[in-house]
Amino acid sequence: MTSTTQLLWGTCAALCLLSPVGANAQTNERLTTLEQGIYECSLPGDAGGKALLVQEERNFVIISASRYRSDYGRGTYFVKGDDVVFSRGPMKDMRFKRRASGLLQEMDRDGELGRLRCNRVARYKP
């Protein structure tokens, strides 16, 4: 084998080791987006009062494929599988689990679900 052939085989072997196969395959899920619209966030109420306690300061609007806005500014987010992560802007580092179409439940970094839920209540009209 010539040194050029050995170099090519070595390069191919190194690339195979770096390729996303096997244990890393789950990281190859496609990125998707949320339905555009107005999302109202609330906490569960109690039997003696309101069923939901709306958290106005947590509401947001999905305005395009990966962009949102809230009363505090604009930012970006991404969806991977059922995990929604706000990556820039006033909601940066907030995480949600998509529970159903238009329904999100707050999630911490360890994947534990919180009490806050955000529900798509209306379409977005730019």
Side-chain angles (χ1 to χ4, degrees), residues 93-96 105-114:
D93 296 329
M94 284 190 70
R95 297 170 181 275
F96 290 88
Q105 187 171 359
E106 189 174 35
M107 178 175 66
D108 67 17
R109 288 191 170 277
D110 296 326
E112 294 291 320
L113 295 175

Side-chain angles (χ1 to χ4, degrees), residues 48-119:
K50 293 183 177 182
L52 297 173
L53 304 171
V54 175
Q55 307 294 297
E56 297 280 339
E57 71 282 358
R58 305 291 293 272
N59 294 348
F60 60 92
V61 180
I62 298 299
I63 56 177
S64 69
S66 61
R67 301 197 181 281
Y68 73 91
R69 80 161 193 252
S70 73
D71 287 345
Y72 306 101
R74 295 173 178 252
T76 58
Y77 74 93
F78 64 89
V79 181
K80 192 168 190 179
D82 286 330
D83 294 344
V84 180
V85 179
F86 287 82
S87 51
R88 296 195 192 279
M91 295 175 65
K92 183 177 187 221
D93 296 329
M94 284 190 70
R95 297 170 181 275
F96 290 88
K97 179 68 78 177
R98 185 171 19 200
R99 307 300 287 171
S101 178
L103 177 62
L104 309 173
Q105 187 171 359
E106 189 174 35
M107 178 175 66
D108 67 17
R109 288 191 170 277
D110 296 326
E112 294 291 320
L113 295 175
R115 296 179 65 224
L116 184 75
R117 293 191 172 129
C118 299
N119 192 38

